[in-house]
Amino acid sequence: MKYIRKTKEKNTLEAEQKNLIVNNKGGEHPLYLAYLCENLRQFGDYSLITKRLKGYPQTTEELIDVLLDEVSVTIGNQPVLDAVDMVTMLERYMNNNVDETKRVNVDRMMWSTIRRHLKSFLDTSWIDGHQLITFRHSTLLQKLHKRYFEDKNDELRSIHKFLAEFFLKDPSIKDYSRRRVPYHYEQAHMIKELIAYLRSLESRSVAQIDRQAYLRKYRCKRHLTDLDSIASQRAYVCNVCATLFKLGPYTMTKGSCLICTTPIFGFSSSQYSPTKRDARLCTQHGQPGYPRTIRCVTCKSIRPNLSGTLPTVMDSIPMNICLQCSMSGGAGTRCCDFEIDEIKS
């Protein structure tokens, strides 16, 4: 009985140790306490940790620096995170774009070591039957960006590009991975690919509210008049594109909002409808020969404008935008194309 009581005493924090924890300002942050508990779990005898507790910093910022220093352990005399090129590591792990004779099997022990040291940084949850690992606090992400990717924007974008392409090709987590593609396209500054993806059938699993936010974000900001002119051109699609899923995954092009791809009910009605507005283009995104010629907004083919003649099945279809897109960004008519070429990389 005396032996059991003595053993329990060794696994209980002493008064001095408790005071060190309580009096440390870092203890006000949940991340600090999570890290502390994880470290205490590794000690069989708590009487050995007084010195370690005294060495912990007093602020969360300093604590995170200490944590990152501990993550940068060495394996084979090489820092795990400082020396490994992230893109190369990912490509090797996935064996992507690697010749059969040059395939590299990443050491599982290295991945296991990285995961163990990052444990205090991460939360794990399950989405659609798949394990999702996220950072516990935004401060961690900011510190990681500053430490490992400051002045390395090209490397960071290449990682996002790789992840976007990987999620597009990987069939095992199709529904979830398709929802991650827009984020990685945007972070890689691949705006043209982002817009094309959100208008494709592959993006059906992307939430409509996310789709609208991305597409409205890159809409042209030029304000136009409501009067039809070369400076305020009506947007058209050709008769071929009108019946295809060119602008969105939910309905045919002629029934979609030109901006966010939301289906517009009553799009074919010539009468005024509160659910739609005319889609118009500025001079830069329109056709120089307007109104004699028009250009399809999807396939970019140039067609003659046959307005004033008897309608035929070969006529181009005037496009509309939904009420929400007409109101976003302030009142007034705005160009309905995207500023893809003007976005700096």
Side-chain angles (χ1 to χ4, degrees):
M1 183 64 67
K2 291 182 179 180
Y3 174 78
I4 295 176
R5 186 180 297 110
K6 186 177 181 181
T7 303
K8 286 185 178 180
E9 289 175 355
K10 288 185 178 182
N11 286 275
T12 302
L13 291 175
E14 299 172 359
E16 180 186 6
Q17 295 170 339
K18 292 179 181 179
N19 289 332
L20 287 172
I21 296 174
V22 172
N23 295 328
N24 192 316
K25 294 181 179 179
E28 299 174 359
H29 198 291
L31 184 64
Y32 176 92
L33 297 177
Y35 178 77
L36 186 66
C37 291
E38 178 62 25
N39 274 264
L40 291 177
R41 187 180 62 83
Q42 302 175 32
F43 285 85
D45 186 351
Y46 287 171
S47 63
L48 304 176
I49 67 170
T50 302
K51 183 179 180 180
R52 187 161 188 167
L53 288 173
K54 290 180 178 180
Y56 284 154
Q58 295 290 316
T59 67
T60 305
E61 294 287 325
E62 293 174 343
L63 173 65
I64 292 177
D65 284 328
V66 171
L67 298 181
L68 290 176
D69 289 338
E70 293 190 0
V71 170
S72 297
V73 294
T74 58
I75 298 180
N77 296 322
Q78 282 191 326
V80 171
L81 294 179
D82 289 334
V84 178
D85 177 75
M86 297 297 290
V87 176
T88 302
M89 184 167 63
L90 286 170
E91 288 182 346
R92 287 180 176 180
Y93 181 70
M94 304 299 179
N95 281 318
N96 183 41
N97 297 326
V98 178
D99 186 81
E100 289 289 340
T101 60
K102 299 179 181 180
R103 295 175 76 90
V104 177
N105 293 321
V106 176
D107 186 0
R108 291 180 179 272
M109 184 59 69
M110 176 181 289
W111 285 101
S112 176
T113 302
I114 294 174
R115 180 70 180 274
R116 185 178 73 252
H117 282 274
L118 286 173
K119 185 175 181 180
S120 297
F121 291 74
L122 308 173
D123 276 329
T124 303
S125 59
W126 289 87
I127 294 181
D128 296 338
H130 300 283
Q131 193 177 46
L132 178 66
I133 301 175
T134 57
F135 288 110
R136 283 185 172 176
H137 198 275
S138 60
T139 307
L140 290 171
L141 183 59
Q142 295 168 6
K143 284 281 187 179
L144 286 170
H145 273 247
K146 184 175 181 180
R147 176 178 287 216
Y148 299 109
F149 295 109
E150 191 172 31
D151 301 325
K152 296 181 181 178
N153 291 331
D154 291 340
E155 182 179 354
L156 185 59
R157 289 170 190 165
S158 66
I159 292 175
H160 284 293
K161 179 183 178 182
F162 172 84
L163 290 172
E165 294 173 348
F166 168 71
F167 282 135
L168 278 172
K169 296 176 183 177
D170 185 63
S172 63
I173 51 176
K174 183 176 180 180
D175 291 337
Y176 173 74
S177 63
R178 291 292 192 267
R179 298 198 293 269
R180 297 298 301 164
V181 171
Y183 169 77
H184 292 295
Y185 267 151
E186 184 179 47
Q187 294 301 312
H189 289 201
M190 300 171 66
I191 308 305
K192 184 177 181 180
E193 290 79 2
L194 167 65
I195 293 173
Y197 172 72
L198 292 174
R199 287 178 162 182
S200 70
L201 293 173
E202 290 183 320
S203 68
R204 283 184 179 273
S205 59
V206 177
Q208 188 67 2
I209 190 172
D210 294 332
R211 184 191 312 279
Q212 293 170 341
Y214 279 117
L215 293 173
R216 289 170 182 168
K217 180 178 181 179
Y218 295 104
R219 180 185 177 182
C220 178
K221 296 179 175 59
R222 293 180 180 86
H223 287 269
L224 311 175
T225 65
D226 292 327
L227 298 177
D228 192 68
S229 66
I230 192 171
S232 181
Q233 306 178 21
R234 186 70 189 272
Y236 287 85
V237 291
C238 66
N239 62 303
V240 177
C241 293
T243 57
L244 301 176
F245 289 87
K246 288 284 187 176
L247 288 183
Y250 300 113
T251 188
M252 290 184 290
T253 292
K254 61 183 179 181
S256 299
C257 172
L258 182 57
I259 299 173
C260 72
T261 77
T262 300
I264 299 178
F265 299 101
F267 66 90
S268 60
S269 173
S270 59
Q271 298 179 353
Y272 171 80
S273 172
T275 62
K276 67 176 183 178
R277 296 290 186 273
D278 293 347
R280 295 195 169 275
L281 304 174
C282 64
T283 305
Q284 178 175 341
H285 294 119
Q287 169 63 17
Y290 187 87
R292 295 184 301 276
T293 58
I294 55 180
R295 181 168 57 182
C296 176
V297 294
T298 59
C299 68
K300 306 303 180 183
S301 63
I302 299 175
R303 302 292 182 97
N305 188 358
L306 302 177
S307 59
T309 63
L310 293 175
T312 68
V313 294
M314 302 298 293
D315 289 351
S316 298
I317 309 298
M319 292 299 295
N320 301 285
I321 61 175
C322 65
L323 180 62
Q324 289 76 15
C325 283
S326 69
M327 298 175 63
S328 64
T333 303
R334 284 173 54 196
C335 176
C336 297
D337 212 324
F338 298 95
E339 296 179 327
I340 298 175
D341 297 332
E342 300 175 15
I343 297 173
K344 298 180 180 180
S345 60

